[in-house]
Amino acid sequence: MSILVQREFVVAPADRVEFERQSREGLWPAFLHFGAQMVGYGTWAFGGPSDVVVTHTTYTDMTHWAATRQGPGAYYQDAAMRAEIEPFFQIYGKRGEVIGSSIAHLFEVDDAVSRPRPVARQAGQPVVDAPPTFGRGSVISERTLSVPRADRVEFRRISTEVIWPWLESQGGRAVGLGHDLMGSSEEVTTWFAFRSLADWQRLNRPSLIGAPADVVSAFATRGTMVTQQRGRLLTIGTDFGTKV
C-alpha cells in the first residue's frame, strides 16, 4: 500500500499564480526525481473551503515521504540527488514564503487498482514519468463512502471492474481508491477525474444516457452498499503532467 498526502495550503490570492509556477516548474519536477507524483492540484469548486489550494501527492510509504522533506529529508542530504534537483530547487527553494499555513490528510492507497505508481527512487535511476492530467479546468471528484466490511470486497470489484472501465470509456480517468488513515474504518475514498463539471454531472446519470444494462445495474447495486457518503469537487488549476 502506497500513501497519498492531500495538503491544503493557505496562499493569498495575489500569490497563487507564482505559487503554482514555482510548483509546476520546480517542486513537482523535483519530486519526480524523488519518485513521488503530484496527481491533482487546484481549488475546491464544491464541498470544500474556497480559500485554500490543494495538492495530492503519492509516496511509497512514510519513509519515502520523510525523505522528500525540504532540509532534513534524506534526498536533500544526498549529494548526488541534490545535484540532480538543483536547477529545480533554484525555482522553488523559497516557495514556503508565500504559504500562510497548511493542513494535511493522509490516505493509504490500494495499489492494485490505483493509477499513481510512486517509487523510492535513487540518484541515477530513471526518473518517474509525470502523471496523466486533463489539465486546467478539469475536475477530480472525491467521494468518501461508508461501506460495511461485509460488502467491501464486492464494492471494490464493482467499482474497478464495471463502473470505472465504463466511465473511462466515456472519457473519464480513474485516479485511485484509498482509506483515510485518521478516519473511520468503515469508510473508503475514491478519486476520479473528468474533463469538465458537465462531464461529471452527465456521467453520474448512466441510466439517462443509454449506458449498458450491466453498468446501470452496477451503479444501483453499489448504491445499496453505501450507508453514508460525502463528496467534493476539485477544479484543476495547473497543466503539470502528461496531457491525455
Side-chain angles (χ1 to χ4, degrees):
M1 293 283 191
S2 56
I3 62 170
L4 182 149
V5 175
Q6 179 188 81
R7 187 174 292 275
E8 297 180 343
F9 298 90
V10 174
V11 178
D15 293 325
R16 290 187 181 180
V17 170
E18 179 62 12
F19 179 82
E20 186 273 336
R21 184 195 71 82
Q22 290 186 28
S23 302
R24 171 173 40 82
E25 297 180 1
L27 182 66
W28 302 333
F31 266 43
L32 297 179
H33 286 255
F34 298 157
Q37 294 176 310
M38 196 295 296
V39 298
Y41 168 84
T43 54
W44 296 118
F46 296 96
S50 60
D51 60 344
V52 295
V53 293
V54 190
T55 59
H56 298 72
T57 309
T58 60
Y59 309 85
T60 59
D61 53 27
M62 294 307 299
T63 300
H64 187 206
W65 170 82
T68 69
R69 299 303 87 198
Q70 186 171 331
Y75 284 133
Y76 287 91
Q77 301 303 312
D78 181 276
M81 181 65 77
R82 185 58 186 260
E84 282 191 13
I85 69 160
E86 188 60 28
F88 303 114
F89 187 73
Q90 293 302 315
I91 297 171
Y92 75 84
K94 296 184 178 181
R95 173 175 170 270
E97 294 179 0
V98 300
I99 299 171
S101 62
S102 70
I103 185 170
H105 298 273
L106 179 63
F107 295 85
E108 192 172 62
V109 176
D110 186 339
D111 292 329
V113 298
S114 300
R115 300 297 192 263
R117 290 291 183 268
V119 297
R121 179 183 176 273
Q122 300 301 312
Q125 295 178 341
V127 178
V128 173
D129 292 335
T133 182
F134 291 146
R136 292 177 187 268
S138 62
V139 297
I140 290 179
S141 171
E142 175 192 286
R143 288 192 174 178
T144 299
L145 312 104
S146 295
V147 180
R149 287 186 181 276
D151 294 326
R152 199 75 55 81
V153 171
E154 184 63 4
F155 173 90
R156 179 182 180 276
R157 186 194 70 80
I158 290 174
S159 297
T160 62
E161 295 182 12
V162 183
I163 293 175
W164 286 11
W166 178 76
L167 288 172
E168 291 188 322
S169 77
Q170 301 301 303
R173 179 172 52 82
V175 178
L177 181 151
H179 165 65
D180 186 340
L181 288 173
M182 290 168 279
S184 168
S185 62
E186 295 297 310
E187 292 183 341
V188 295
T189 297
T190 63
W191 297 272
F192 208 96
F194 299 89
R195 294 183 183 276
S196 67
L197 278 170
D199 274 2
W200 167 80
Q201 182 182 24
R202 177 176 62 85
L203 293 172
N204 274 277
R205 293 176 168 83
S207 63
L208 300 181
I209 60 174
D214 65 321
V215 172
V216 175
S217 175
F219 269 86
T221 299
R222 190 178 69 165
T224 66
M225 300 176 185
V226 178
T227 60
Q228 192 174 13
Q229 69 172 298
R230 60 187 183 274
R232 47 189 182 176
L233 287 165
L234 184 80
T235 299
I236 298 302
T238 185
D239 285 321
F240 173 79
T242 302
K243 272 288 192 72
V244 294

